[in-house]
Amino acid sequence: MSRAVENADGKAAALAELAALLGDRFTTAPAVREAHGRDESWHPVAAPDAVAFAQTTDEVAAIVRICAAHALPVIAFGAGTSLEGHVSAVQGGLSLDLTQMNRILEVNASDLDVRVEAGVTRKALNEYLRDTGLFFPIDPGADATIGGMVATRASGTNAVRYGTMRENVLGLTAVMADGAIVRTGGRARKSSAGYDLTRLLVGSEGTLGIVTEVTLRLYGIPEAVRSGVVPFESIEGAVDAVIETIQSGLPIARIEILDPLSIRACNAYSKLSLAEVPTLFVEFHGTEAAVAEQAERFAAIAAEHGGGAAAWASKPEERTRLWEARHNAYYAALAYVPGKKGMVSDVCVPISRLAEAISGTLADLETSFLKAPIVGHVGDGNFHMLLMMDPSDPRDLAEATRIHDRMVARALALGGTSTGEHGIGEGKIKFLEAEHGAGVAVMRAIKQALDPQNILNPGKIFSV
C-alpha cells in the first residue's frame, strides 16, 4: 500500500471515529471548514478536513487520542482573531473549536484569581466579574478567547501597567499530543517546584498542547480612571515624552501612539475630530486625587517635548468611545483604503530605540506606493504597521513584503524582537532563526519530545 493511500485511509478512519464520538458537533460542511481555516490576517484560507466542537477537557483528550492514533493534525480554534495565520490548517486535519467550553469555573475574590475554560472571551469574563469589584486587564483589542490569548502570549493596551499573559497566567490545564491531561502551576503566587510548564505552554501557539482551562490573576477595578489624547509636533517628541514619563516613575496604565494617517482613518471611521498629527492616547488608574496629579504631571512632561493641550475624558462613555476608536484602528484602515487587506505586523524594541524604529519605518513608507498606518503600545516599545495591500496583486505583495521585512530587520538590529504580541504563526517563521539562532534547535527538540508525530498545529512557529 502506498503512503498516500495509507494516509488517506487513516484520515478517513479518524474522521469516522470523531463523527461517532461527537454526533452533530462534528462537521465537514465546506462553509464551516472555510471559516475555521482563516484568521484576521491576509494569509490565504487553509481549510481543515473537518471541524469538531468540544465541550469538556475529557472530550478534548478523547479527540486528540483519536487524532494521534491516525496521525491526523489538530488545530485549536478560539475566536479566530489572530494575525499571523495561526489557525490555518496548512496540512489539513481537524480544527478543534473550543468556543463551547465557555464556563467561568471558580472566582476567588479574596485571592484575586479566577479559573475559566479556554473558550471564555475576555469581555464575557469582565462582565461576569463586574459585581465583584475585580477585572482582568489584558486587552488585545479583539474580543479574543482566553485560550487563544494564552496560546499567543497576548498583551495589548494595558500591558505597560499590568503586564502580558505571561505574567497573568497562574496555571492551566492542557491536553498533550498523546491525549494526556496535564495541569500546571496553581493558585500560589510563587513556586520553585520543577520546570515552569505554564510558561512553556503560554505562547506556544497550540504546537505543544491544547489549553482547556486557565487560572488567571485579577485586579481591583480602580476607583478613578482618566483618559485623554495629546497631539504632538513629531513622532520623536511623542516617544521622548513616553520615555521621560516612564523614567519618572509615573504609573501610567495605557499609553498608545497613532501616526497622522491612523488619526485620519480613525476620524473617518469612529467619527472623531482629532488633529491629524502624531498623537498619544493615555490613561491613568487610581484614586481621584492620584489620577488628577498624574494627568497634570504627564501634561507638563508632554509640553516639554512639543505636546499640545491634552483633551481629557473622565466619563465612562467618553473613555469607551476613545478606546474603541483605538481598538478599531485596523478596521478604520481597511475602510480608509477600500478593496485592500491588511498585512498587519508588530515588532518590539527597547523603548530608547522606539523613535528610531518608527521613524525608519515611516521613511520606508514615504518612498512606497502603499499606505500603512502605524499604531503602537509605546509604553513597552511595541508598535504595529498595517500595510494596506492586495495579496493577489504580485506588485502589492512584493512591496508589502519588502517594507515588512525591513521593519523586522530594523527591530532585530536595534536589540528588539520580530513580534511583541502577535506571535510567529506561519507569517514570521523566516525571522525566528535570525532572532534566536541556536535556540531554535532547542525549541525543535522540545516540540519533537512533546509532539513526536507533529500533529499539533503543524507548520507554525518553525518547520519540523
Side-chain angles (χ1 to χ4, degrees):
M1 181 183 295
S2 72
R3 178 61 61 86
V5 171
E6 184 179 349
N7 289 344
D9 288 346
K11 179 192 297 184
L15 298 183
E17 290 182 42
L18 291 165
L21 174 70
L22 298 166
D24 61 5
R25 288 185 288 112
F26 173 87
T27 181
T28 56
V32 180
R33 290 168 47 223
E34 181 174 337
H36 284 75
R38 67 153 63 96
D39 57 12
E40 293 275 3
S41 73
W42 65 276
H43 297 286
V45 175
D49 296 296
V51 179
F53 296 85
Q55 294 183 338
T56 67
T57 294
D58 286 342
E59 197 167 68
V60 171
I63 290 168
V64 172
R65 283 194 292 270
I66 291 171
C67 293
H70 300 283
L72 184 73
V74 55
I75 305 101
F77 187 94
T81 55
S82 55
L83 292 166
E84 290 292 351
H86 293 88
V87 299
S88 60
V90 293
Q91 296 182 21
L94 180 75
S95 177
L96 180 51
D97 189 309
L98 302 174
T99 55
Q100 293 184 21
M101 296 182 64
N102 57 5
R103 293 178 300 168
I104 297 170
L105 301 170
E106 181 182 11
V107 177
N108 300 290
S110 58
D111 289 321
L112 300 177
D113 66 59
V114 62
R115 183 165 60 93
V116 304
E117 290 184 322
V120 172
T121 65
R122 65 173 186 86
K123 287 183 179 179
L125 174 58
N126 278 323
E127 186 64 31
Y128 185 93
L129 293 170
R130 187 184 303 276
D131 293 340
T132 69
L134 303 173
F135 81 118
F136 179 62
I138 309 304
D139 179 5
D143 191 20
T145 63
I146 298 300
M149 291 170 64
V150 170
T152 55
R153 201 186 296 128
S155 54
T157 57
N158 281 321
V160 65
R161 179 174 180 128
Y162 299 101
T164 71
M165 290 299 284
R166 182 182 63 190
E167 292 78 37
N168 288 282
V169 176
L170 297 173
L172 49 81
T173 300
V175 175
M176 310 309 286
D178 60 357
I181 298 172
V182 173
R183 292 177 174 85
T184 76
R187 295 180 51 227
R189 289 303 165 118
K190 63 181 181 180
S191 172
S192 296
Y195 294 153
D196 191 344
L197 298 181
T198 303
R199 298 298 172 273
L200 178 63
L201 290 166
V202 173
S204 63
E205 302 183 17
T207 64
L208 299 180
I210 296 175
V211 173
T212 60
E213 292 182 13
V214 188
T215 300
L216 299 166
R217 190 187 302 266
L218 300 178
Y219 298 80
I221 296 173
E223 173 189 319
V225 177
R226 180 169 294 193
S227 301
V229 294
V230 182
F232 280 81
E233 296 171 1
S234 67
I235 289 284
E236 290 79 9
V239 173
D240 287 344
V242 172
I243 293 171
E244 185 173 340
T245 297
I246 292 171
Q247 289 177 340
S248 71
L250 200 61
I252 200 154
R254 307 193 207 193
I255 188 159
E256 301 283 300
I257 196 167
L258 285 80
D259 76 342
L261 182 55
S262 294
I263 294 293
R264 191 175 311 141
C266 287
N267 279 344
Y269 187 81
S270 298
K271 306 299 186 288
L272 302 178
S273 55
L274 302 175
E276 294 177 2
V277 297
T279 302
L280 291 181
F281 284 36
V282 297
E283 186 168 281
F284 299 95
H285 295 174
T287 64
E288 291 285 359
V291 297
E293 179 187 357
Q294 290 160 10
E296 183 178 349
R297 287 176 60 195
F298 174 75
I301 291 172
E304 294 176 2
H305 296 281
W312 297 106
S314 296
K315 294 180 180 178
E317 59 271 20
E318 294 174 346
R319 294 199 309 270
T320 297
R321 184 167 181 251
L322 180 67
W323 289 108
E324 280 186 351
R326 163 61 187 91
H327 287 322
N328 286 333
Y330 174 64
Y331 302 106
L334 291 176
Y336 187 74
V337 189
K340 302 284 188 178
K341 289 186 180 256
M343 181 185 281
V344 186
S345 185
D346 81 310
V347 294
C348 190
V349 298
I351 297 172
S352 63
R353 311 303 296 271
L354 183 61
E356 187 177 350
I358 294 178
S359 296
T361 300
L362 287 172
D364 286 343
L365 290 169
E366 286 175 3
T367 65
S368 176
F369 60 87
L370 296 179
K371 295 185 182 299
I374 287 179
V375 299
H377 311 312
V378 282
D380 48 21
N382 185 203
F383 74 96
H384 308 254
M385 176 175 61
L386 292 73
L387 277 156
M388 309 313 299
M389 45 79 79
D390 179 358
S392 66
D393 182 333
R395 181 167 176 261
D396 270 22
L397 183 57
E399 176 66 356
T401 300
R402 181 186 73 84
I403 295 173
H404 170 271
D405 290 2
R406 283 179 59 82
M407 180 182 81
V408 176
R410 183 180 298 110
L412 295 179
L414 294 174
T417 175
S418 60
T419 173
E421 60 185 23
H422 292 176
I424 295 294
E426 64 174 301
K428 287 192 170 177
I429 289 175
K430 66 182 179 182
F431 299 111
L432 200 63
E433 295 215 17
E435 180 170 347
H436 289 293
V440 177
V442 178
M443 296 180 199
R444 285 197 178 100
I446 294 170
K447 168 69 169 174
Q448 288 166 351
L450 297 182
D451 180 16
Q453 295 189 94
N454 190 28
I455 65 167
L456 294 181
N457 208 8
K460 312 299 166 60
I461 301 184
F462 44 66
S463 60
V464 175

